[in-house]
Amino acid sequence: MPTTTAPIDIAALESFANELADMAVPASLELFRHPLDIERKEDSSPVTIADKRIESILREAIAGRYPDHGIFGEEHGAEHLDRRHVWVVDPIDGTKSFISGWPLFGTLIACLEDGKPVVGVISMPAIGERWSARRGGQARFAGKPCAVSRCTRLAEARIYTTSPDAFDEAERALYLDISSRAALRRFGGDCYSYGLLASGHVDAVIEMQLQPYDYMALVPVIEAAGGVITDWNGQPLTLDSPGRVVAAATPELHAELLALLGADAPARAS
């Protein structure tokens, strides 16, 4: 169980999360579209010095500001996950985009309180766009309030996933069948698709094989914009979720997607 510490103002946590995102921008752009050595992790996913450098910068800043907080990052692992507040960071969400010069990579920053994400930032360094939200607040894009669409039916929806390659064979067929029923189906974007959902341009995103650093920052943004984001069984996303994520603009659309995904539980947002 998380340890108990003195209360911290969530607005201050959100402000600091945006400071962290600011720090990641120059570090990202300094190496973007420059020759880089590419390493392969155990799961064959790529990683570069940019991923590692940015995460080191963020971890140092978090430790300096909140030394009693835990940290969970993609590149340098987890520390003190038993703490009441835990920061979850993905320095470059979309490393494949980054190394191929595609500007739709992002930096994801979340702060969890008692295991639940209360602050989230989706920052897109190469295109200068950012979404930010905190529990109980309004999601904001470029500093102004944003909101999801009112789409309630898959037949009218604009649906995204980063890549069908991320799905297992059976789930790929399922996704292609579901998305073929939508009004519009597009691929690519990584975390950017979720930002577009929060701003009402995309209506749904379905993905699998995600890690906590891929989805934790998305939760406060989507929910504060009025949307719904859960796992494929309609359960709230946690550090222990299986990595199957479905996000939708409305509860009605989300419920339709869950039914098609074979969910065995009703939609329940955290």
Side-chain angles (χ1 to χ4, degrees), residues 34-39 47-51 99:
H34 287 268
L36 293 173
D37 291 331
I38 301 169
E39 302 174 21
V47 63
T48 72
I49 188 174
D51 301 79
I99 63 178

Side-chain angles (χ1 to χ4, degrees), residues 24-54:
V25 172
S28 300
L29 298 185
E30 178 184 358
L31 296 171
F32 181 53
R33 293 179 176 168
H34 287 268
L36 293 173
D37 291 331
I38 301 169
E39 302 174 21
R40 293 285 172 179
K41 303 180 189 178
E42 292 184 3
D43 63 359
S44 296
S45 62
V47 63
T48 72
I49 188 174
D51 301 79
K52 296 178 180 179
R53 181 183 297 175
I54 295 165

Side-chain angles (χ1 to χ4, degrees), residues 140-241:
R140 306 184 78 82
F141 169 67
K144 298 180 180 180
C146 63
V148 296
S149 74
R150 298 180 180 179
C151 181
T152 59
R153 299 177 60 246
L154 178 58
E156 300 170 353
R158 298 155 292 185
I159 189 168
Y160 266 68
T161 197
T162 296
S163 172
D165 293 340
F167 290 79
D168 296 335
E169 184 175 353
E171 283 78 4
R172 183 185 304 119
L174 179 61
Y175 173 77
L176 292 175
D177 175 63
I178 293 172
S179 61
S180 69
R181 308 183 193 195
L184 182 151
R185 175 174 69 187
R186 297 289 292 172
F187 303 109
D190 296 289
C191 60
Y192 192 52
S193 301
Y194 296 89
L196 294 177
L197 194 158
S199 285
H201 306 300
V202 169
D203 304 307
V205 185
I206 300 175
E207 297 193 288
M208 67 176 297
Q209 296 189 23
L210 300 186
Q211 298 295 326
Y213 43 75
D214 295 316
Y215 59 73
M216 277 302 183
L218 311 175
V219 176
V221 174
I222 297 299
E223 293 183 345
V228 184
I229 180 169
T230 67
D231 70 14
W232 287 15
N233 284 327
Q235 299 298 317
L237 294 168
T238 71
L239 290 177
D240 299 317
S241 293

Side-chain angles (χ1 to χ4, degrees), residues 44-96:
S44 296
S45 62
V47 63
T48 72
I49 188 174
D51 301 79
K52 296 178 180 179
R53 181 183 297 175
I54 295 165
E55 184 170 322
S56 293
I57 291 170
L58 300 182
R59 295 175 82 99
E60 182 178 352
I62 293 168
R65 180 72 63 89
Y66 296 113
D68 59 334
H69 288 194
I71 304 175
F72 183 11
E74 178 173 10
E75 307 306 335
H76 299 300
E79 297 179 7
H80 306 303
L81 296 187
D82 60 333
R83 304 290 171 84
R84 186 179 186 206
H85 291 94
V86 175
W87 293 86
V88 182
V89 300
D90 190 344
I92 297 181
D93 181 74
T95 299
K96 293 177 182 177

